[in-house]
Amino acid sequence: MSLLAEKMSRVKPSQTLVVTQKARELRARGEDVIGLGAGEPDFDTPDNIKQAAMDAIRRGETKYTTVDGITELKEAICAKFKRENDLSYETKETLVAPGGKPVIYNAMMATLDPGDEVLIPTPFWVSYPDIVTLCGGTAVLMETDMKDGFKLRPETLERAITPRTKWFILNSPNNPSGAGYTRAEIKALCDVLEQHPNVWILSDDMYEHLVYDDFVFTTPAQVAPNLKGRVLTMNGVSKAYAMTGWRIGYCGAPEELIAGMRKVQSQSTSNPCSISQWAAVEALSGTQDFIAERALRFKERRDLVVGMLNNAEGIACPTPEGAFYAYASCADALGRTSAGGSNLSTDADFATALLEEEKVAVVHGTAFGASPFFRVSYATSTEALEEACLRIQRFCAGLS
């Protein structure tokens, strides 16, 4: 008898973490590797947030807290939703978790029965389908097209909905494509969902503040208020506030769903780190000035990366509206041989050869459910990005 459950054979490790770890190992061996795999801002956590954490330690805020978050943070979350998204939530309709991933896991575990389906547009954040599988559900993938900016068409959503559909997950701006849905595009999807009252919506707004040019962020419960009763709006402090290691995610949702998620959390992680919660209070309530400044830096990096990738032979890269990723097609580079002798049949082959021969770590598109592409994270220094893109150009120029 096998030790591991059968479902574990259908669950894959996070490929973004695998690539990041591989890059670390190569660097430790003295290799000059540029890692473009991690979805982590290179900026430091702002000083006022770090000071709030240190103040909390000195006050002795080091004990267990309420399972789903301290009242002060829940109040800050409610204020944030009202201030920035025009959404009214009470504290009993919010939950704080040790990261964004546990918010999704808690929601799926609390609601999915065997056979329930969760609709996920491709390309997707690598963890969505595996979380659904772990929680006993069935992930149903819906394809998007690069010519549509990797955005889901309403008719594709309509065709995918069945009597077994329980959830639809929308991530805007998207990881890995950076695609941001306009208000009109979200409204068109919500118009479909209004006709299917059995379907709940999980809106992953983690990259809300990292948007560029004239793009205006909106979220489903804001665009279609009549759907708010079956929307889970989630966010976190990891990306906008450069707090990835602090592990704080949060959400607003109907009280019944929050109660179920709270029960799951009470039997799994229990409360998020007490010190991180107090830091998050300051993040959401303190000065927000640095967010726009950092977003401008990310935009400059985006423009650099997109421009240089499009100048690489066989690569095509659309311009993303948000997040800090570029999702580039390597279709015209496949069926060829690298200068080091590697045959490139898939995007995984492309990424592997690029790492081995030019020491640039990217994540292959298959990990995100859409091929043949690769994801570049531009959440690193301009100097590193320029050198990495020069290496990618050299790698592509050497294909035969």
Side-chain angles (χ1 to χ4, degrees), residues 305-317 328-339 344 350 354 374 389-400:
V305 168
V306 170
M308 292 188 73
L309 287 179
N310 279 319
N311 283 327
E313 184 180 345
I315 303 301
C317 184
S329 169
C330 56
D332 290 342
L334 301 186
R336 303 170 72 180
T337 302
S338 72
L344 308 184
F350 179 93
L354 180 62
F374 64 96
C389 289
L390 286 171
R391 295 184 190 184
I392 292 172
Q393 290 177 348
R394 183 169 63 206
F395 176 79
C396 292
L399 299 180
S400 60

Side-chain angles (χ1 to χ4, degrees), residues 102-321:
V103 171
I104 303 167
Y105 181 86
N106 291 345
M108 297 298 113
M109 182 59 73
T111 59
L112 292 180
D113 288 316
D116 286 344
E117 297 174 347
V118 178
L119 304 184
I120 305 171
T122 65
F124 48 71
W125 179 49
V126 294
S127 293
Y128 292 146
D130 293 296
I131 290 174
V132 170
T133 298
L134 281 171
C135 294
T138 300
V140 177
L141 307 182
M142 301 175 293
E143 291 187 5
T144 64
D145 197 299
M146 187 169 76
K147 66 177 172 50
D148 295 326
F150 296 111
K151 298 179 189 179
L152 183 69
R153 289 177 172 270
E155 57 267 30
T156 304
L157 174 60
E158 178 68 59
R159 285 195 301 268
I161 295 174
T162 75
R164 304 184 103 172
T165 304
K166 191 67 169 280
W167 285 94
F168 164 59
I169 297 179
L170 181 68
N171 177 210
S172 172
N174 175 266
N175 175 7
S177 70
Y181 287 74
T182 65
R183 173 181 283 270
E185 289 165 340
I186 291 178
K187 179 65 167 60
L189 295 175
C190 288
D191 286 347
V192 172
L193 295 164
E194 284 184 13
Q195 308 306 312
H196 300 276
N198 57 304
V199 182
W200 282 68
I201 303 101
L202 190 154
S203 182
D204 184 346
D205 300 351
M206 195 63 69
Y207 297 92
E208 169 185 4
H209 293 295
L210 300 178
V211 296
Y212 314 117
D213 304 319
D214 297 324
F215 182 83
V216 176
F217 173 84
T218 51
T219 191
Q222 173 187 16
V223 173
N226 54 319
L227 292 181
K228 181 170 175 279
R230 50 187 169 104
V231 175
L232 185 156
T233 305
M234 65 161 286
N235 212 315
V237 298
S238 296
K239 313 301 182 179
Y241 300 95
M243 294 175 67
T244 50
W246 298 78
R247 307 309 299 140
I248 293 291
Y250 61 85
C251 68
E255 187 177 0
E256 180 184 11
L257 176 57
I258 292 295
M261 294 171 66
R262 184 189 307 119
K263 187 181 295 185
V264 173
Q265 188 155 296
S266 74
Q267 297 294 0
S268 55
T269 62
S270 195
N271 68 268
C273 170
S274 59
I275 305 306
S276 295
Q277 290 189 65
W278 284 103
V281 171
E282 175 62 22
L284 295 180
S285 305
T287 179
Q288 309 290 303
D289 294 346
F290 63 90
I291 293 178
E293 297 169 7
R294 292 182 176 186
L296 180 60
R297 296 271 296 280
F298 279 130
K299 177 189 179 300
E300 292 168 351
R301 296 173 181 181
R302 178 204 66 173
D303 294 343
L304 169 71
V305 168
V306 170
M308 292 188 73
L309 287 179
N310 279 319
N311 283 327
E313 184 180 345
I315 303 301
C317 184
T319 301
E321 288 88 0

Side-chain angles (χ1 to χ4, degrees), residues 19-28 30-38 304-305 308 351 354-363 374-394:
V19 169
T20 302
Q21 182 58 31
K22 178 68 172 177
R24 287 193 187 116
E25 291 171 358
L26 290 171
R27 280 198 211 97
E31 302 275 9
D32 179 23
V33 173
I34 302 176
L36 303 180
L304 169 71
V305 168
M308 292 188 73
L354 180 62
L355 179 57
E356 292 175 348
E357 298 178 28
E358 289 290 353
K359 304 299 183 275
V360 176
V362 300
V363 186
F374 64 96
R375 190 192 78 171
V376 167
S377 169
Y378 49 87
T380 190
S381 72
T382 300
E383 294 74 20
L385 290 170
E386 188 166 12
E387 173 62 23
C389 289
L390 286 171
R391 295 184 190 184
I392 292 172
Q393 290 177 348
R394 183 169 63 206

